Amino acid sequence: MIEITGLTKGFGGGPVLNGIDLSIAPGERIVVIGPSGTGKSTLLRCLNFLDRPEAGTIRVGDLTVDAAKATKAQILALRRRTAFVFQNYALFANKTARENITEALVTVQRKPRAEAEARADSILGEIGLAEKAGSYPAALSGGQQQRVGIGRAMALDAQLMLFDEPTSALDPEWVGEVLDLMRRVAEQHQTMLIVTHEMQFAREIADRVIFMEGGRIVEEGPPAQIFDDPRDARTKAFLRRVR
Amino acid sequence: MRALDFDYMLGLVPVLLGYVPLTLGMALAGMALALVLASLLAVERVAKLPVIDPLVVLFISFFRGTPLLVQLFLFYYGLPQVLSFLTQINGVTAAIMGLTLHFSAYMAESIRAAITGVDRSQWEAAQAVGMTQSQMMVRIILPQAARIAAPTLVNYFIDMIKGTSLAFTLGVTEMMGATQKEAAGSFLYFEAFLVVAVIYWIIVEALSFAQRGLETRLNRAFAR
C-alpha cells in the first residue's frame, strides 16, 4: 500500500504541488493527466526526492517519510523502493545496455554479479534487445534507449514504478514499441504511476485516471468516467483540447 | 661560430637515457598521487562541505598562486627547519611531494569543471536507482568526467614531466642535474642541453601518441 498525504512543493514563486493526497493499492495502475506545468512531473519527482517536497508524508509499505524532516537514510530507502523511468531515458552513458540493468542490482542491491547478469539477460529478452546487450546508449535509437530505461526499472523489483512522460521525447516512430512494453509491464500486476499525454493508452491500461491542474488533483476515477463523463469543467476543457 | 661536437652529443645520449627512469618515475608517482588528491579536492569542491570547503579553496589558491620552484624550496629547505621530523626528507621525496601538491591544485579545477559538465540526467538516474553519493561519484560521474578532463590532464602530466627537471635544484641528480654535471666537465653547454632538450621532447611526443589511444578508449562508449 502506498499512501501520500498533503504533499506540498513550491518553486520560488507559487506552489507547484498544493497538498496532494493519494493512496495507491498494490498492483494498481494510475495514469496522471493534465495540462503542462501543473505539477504532474513534480509529483513523481517528489515521490523519490529527485525534487524535495517541503511538506507532507509518503508511505511505501512499512516506510513512512515525513518530507519536512526526511533524513538521508530515509530518502535512500524510499528511492530503493521505487523505480523511475525518465522522459529523456537517462541511461548511464558509460555503461552498456546490459550494464545499465545490472548496475543497481550489484551496487545498490548487493546481488551477486552472476545473478544480476542472468536477470539482465532475461529482461533484455523481454524488452526485445538481447542482441543489443553490449551496445552503449549512444549507439541505440530513442525507442531502444527507453526500452532499456524501462528494463532497468523493471529489474529493481520496486514496490512502485514511476513513469515520467516516457514517450514525450521519442520520435513518433518509436512511441508504439515503448507503449507496447509498458502494456506488458502492466500485465505483470506491477504498481505503476504514469504521467503521459497518450490518452488512448491511458484509457486502455489505467485502473484509475487522475486529472491534475494547478498543483492539485481536480478529479479522479476509472478511465471510462474521466474520459467519457468528466464532472469538473477544467477536466472537460482539457479533454476537449487534447482530442 | 664553431661546429657542433656530434661525437660528444652521441656519447652523451646513453648517459642521459640512464636517468630517464628516475625522471619518469618521479613524474608517474607525482601524477598518480596528484590524480587521487585532485579527485578528492574536486569532489569536495562540488559537494561544498562546510568547514572543509574554505580550506580546500585556500589550498588550491596557494598552490596555483605560487611558483613551483618556490614551493619546492619551501618543502626541501624550509619545512625541516620548523618540522624537525622532516630533517630526513630526501630530494626525490620532496620533489614528488611538491609536484603532487602543485599539480593537484590545477588538476582539481579541471576535474571539478568536468564533474559539473556531466549531464544532469546522469546524476538523477544514479539517485533514482538508490545509489549513495559515493557510489554515484565512483560508478557514474567520475568515469564520465574522466573523459571530459582527459586532454587537460594529459597536458598537466606533460608539464609535470618537464617539472621534474626542477628537482636538480634540490640536489637530485636526475636527467637535468646529470646534464648540468656533464656540461660543467666538458664546457660543451650547447651540445649537452640540446641533447637533453631533445630527450624531453621525444618523451613528450611519445606521450602525445599514447594520448590518442587513451582518448579513443575513453570515447568508446560515446561512438555512434
Side-chain angles (χ1 to χ4, degrees):
Chain A
M1 194 69 187
I2 291 145
E3 193 93 46
I4 300 153
T5 47
L7 201 65
T8 303
K9 164 87 186 165
F11 273 123
V16 180
L17 290 183
N18 220 328
I20 298 285
D21 297 314
L22 178 65
S23 52
I24 308 171
E28 194 176 13
R29 292 154 302 200
I30 298 181
V31 172
V32 184
I33 61 170
S36 305
T38 54
K40 305 184 302 290
S41 288
T42 307
L43 169 61
L44 258 58
R45 294 170 56 87
C46 279
L47 290 182
N48 72 350
F49 278 74
L50 283 182
D51 288 336
R52 197 181 170 119
E54 275 116 39
T57 59
I58 300 166
R59 184 164 72 80
V60 179
D62 57 357
L63 173 75
T64 306
V65 180
D66 181 347
K69 43 190 181 205
T71 64
K72 258 188 191 171
Q74 284 180 322
I75 293 172
L76 217 53
L78 189 60
R79 286 175 177 162
R80 289 173 182 182
R81 282 154 202 252
T82 56
F84 203 96
V85 175
F86 292 85
Q87 180 175 345
N88 60 1
Y89 337 127
L91 296 184
F92 300 129
N94 58 327
K95 309 258 170 215
T96 63
R98 191 170 187 242
E99 290 165 348
N100 262 278
I101 299 174
T102 56
E103 180 60 34
L105 301 185
V106 175
T107 318
V108 178
Q109 300 185 353
R110 303 269 171 220
K111 289 205 166 93
R113 180 159 292 279
E115 187 187 328
E117 286 175 352
R119 180 90 170 105
D121 288 338
S122 121
I123 284 178
L124 284 165
E126 243 179 287
I127 64 179
L129 288 174
E131 79 286 5
K132 296 285 184 188
S135 299
Y136 286 97
L140 299 174
S141 75
Q144 290 170 334
Q145 288 190 60
Q146 191 58 298
R147 277 146 69 196
V148 174
I150 294 172
R152 175 174 69 182
M154 287 161 71
L156 297 172
D157 289 320
Q159 295 182 40
L160 173 64
M161 276 177 95
L162 302 161
F163 292 80
D164 185 13
E165 301 196 29
T167 58
S168 294
L170 289 173
D171 289 338
E173 54 180 321
W174 308 124
V175 170
E177 64 187 52
V178 170
L179 292 181
D180 282 342
L181 176 58
M182 287 173 67
R183 280 188 193 94
R184 269 182 283 142
V185 176
E187 282 161 15
Q188 296 166 5
H189 305 287
Q190 174 68 55
T191 313
M192 300 162 87
L193 185 59
I194 305 165
V195 172
T196 184
H197 294 290
E198 297 286 336
M199 295 302 154
Q200 185 53 42
F201 172 76
R203 180 191 280 268
E204 265 175 60
I205 75 146
D207 298 310
R208 183 159 40 129
V209 175
I210 288 176
F211 174 73
M212 269 181 79
E213 196 177 279
R216 296 173 199 277
I217 295 178
V218 171
E219 188 171 357
E220 59 182 302
Q225 182 198 316
I226 298 292
F227 288 114
D228 301 332
D229 187 22
R231 311 275 154 86
D232 196 282
R234 287 168 290 181
T235 318
K236 288 178 186 169
F238 171 74
L239 288 172
R240 260 198 311 276
R241 280 203 306 278
V242 298
R243 282 214 177 112
Chain B
M1 182 95 184
R2 65 170 173 81
L4 287 182
D5 188 337
F6 282 107
D7 287 342
Y8 173 73
M9 288 168 76
L10 278 177
L12 199 52
V13 169
V15 177
L16 295 186
L17 284 183
Y19 291 92
V20 168
L22 179 59
T23 288
L24 281 185
M26 285 194 291
L28 282 171
M31 189 65 184
L33 293 170
L35 268 179
V36 173
L37 181 57
S39 300
L40 291 173
L41 294 172
V43 169
E44 192 296 316
R45 286 296 289 134
V46 174
K48 294 209 195 318
L49 305 174
V51 189
I52 302 174
D53 193 55
L55 298 177
V56 169
V57 171
L58 185 70
F59 174 93
I60 292 174
S61 165
F62 177 80
F63 283 99
R64 281 212 305 184
T66 54
L68 176 56
L69 188 60
V70 173
Q71 292 165 15
L72 291 175
F73 277 31
L74 197 58
F75 288 128
Y76 186 67
Y77 297 111
L79 265 195
Q81 295 189 335
V82 282
L83 301 172
S84 48
F85 64 90
L86 282 177
T87 46
Q88 295 304 313
I89 195 169
N90 69 40
V92 173
T93 313
I96 292 174
M97 239 175 76
L99 290 168
T100 299
L101 296 174
H102 183 78
F103 280 93
S104 67
Y106 282 94
M107 286 158 52
E109 286 299 285
S110 57
I111 295 175
R112 184 195 58 76
I115 289 174
T116 51
V118 174
D119 196 80
R120 200 171 66 104
S121 69
Q122 300 296 308
W123 301 71
E124 292 193 341
Q127 288 166 348
V129 299
M131 286 191 191
T132 62
Q133 289 290 110
S134 52
Q135 286 170 339
M136 171 170 74
M137 276 296 162
V138 172
R139 306 283 308 169
I140 307 299
I141 305 301
L142 286 178
Q144 295 186 53
R147 167 176 168 263
I148 304 173
T152 350
L153 294 182
V154 174
N155 265 341
Y156 286 131
F157 184 48
I158 287 172
D159 232 15
M160 195 182 288
I161 291 174
K162 294 182 292 183
T164 58
S165 62
L166 291 176
F168 108 95
T169 63
L170 308 186
V172 178
T173 310
E174 43 64 71
M175 201 154 63
M176 180 62 193
T179 311
Q180 170 75 19
K181 279 181 188 163
E182 291 291 334
S186 65
F187 292 107
L188 293 172
Y189 288 98
F190 187 80
E191 279 86 346
F193 289 121
L194 186 59
V195 169
V196 80
V198 169
I199 293 177
Y200 277 115
W201 190 9
I202 290 172
I203 293 173
V204 169
E205 277 306 303
L207 195 71
S208 306
F209 182 75
Q211 177 177 13
R212 284 190 282 279
L214 172 74
E215 284 175 21
T216 310
R217 216 185 107 78
L218 286 170
N219 281 322
R220 195 183 43 173
F222 297 85
R224 286 194 168 271

